Amino acid sequence: MVLKYTAKRPDEELDGLQALEDHFTAGAPDDVVVVGIVSRHAVAKTDPSDQWQATVRFKHVEQVTGADAEQVKQLLRGQYEKRTGNATLPLDGEDEA
């Protein structure tokens, strides 16, 4: 099964991406580093099988900038490597370490 995502955004005070609307509507915007909390939204059986499928939603999302963003990128690379066993390439705009 594939984990599904809802289209519902976090509650107003927990949605740090709304402040970035101008950033994403102008030209060719740079990527933004974010951290988020994901919660289970629903779980249901899929027909015709008896397997369960979960749906999750982003409960809280915030932008991370500066040195904190670099630290988050390093954590992201490390977690990706642990999960997949694949070495990662630098993200766009990032120097090789």
Side-chain angles (χ1 to χ4, degrees):
M1 287 291 124
V2 173
L3 188 63
K4 293 171 51 177
Y5 297 85
T6 67
K8 184 179 184 319
R9 67 179 186 85
D11 294 336
E12 193 69 34
E13 70 278 2
L14 299 176
D15 186 358
L17 297 184
Q18 293 305 307
L20 299 171
E21 182 178 11
D22 289 343
H23 172 81
F24 285 113
T25 57
D30 293 335
D31 292 345
V32 173
V33 176
V34 300
V35 295
I37 297 176
V38 176
S39 64
R40 184 175 78 183
H41 177 72
V43 63
K45 285 200 175 181
T46 58
D47 288 330
S49 77
D50 61 352
Q51 292 184 336
W52 290 94
Q53 183 173 41
T55 302
V56 297
R57 78 175 192 103
F58 281 90
K59 186 176 182 178
H60 187 174
V61 182
E62 296 293 340
Q63 179 183 17
V64 182
T65 60
D68 290 338
E70 293 307 314
Q71 189 173 13
V72 169
K73 288 178 187 178
Q74 288 176 1
L75 290 168
L76 184 63
R77 280 192 305 273
Q79 292 301 317
Y80 173 81
E81 289 175 10
K82 284 181 190 175
R83 179 176 59 83
T84 66
N86 297 330
T88 59
L89 297 174
L91 298 173
D92 288 343
E94 185 176 68
D95 294 330
E96 291 189 50

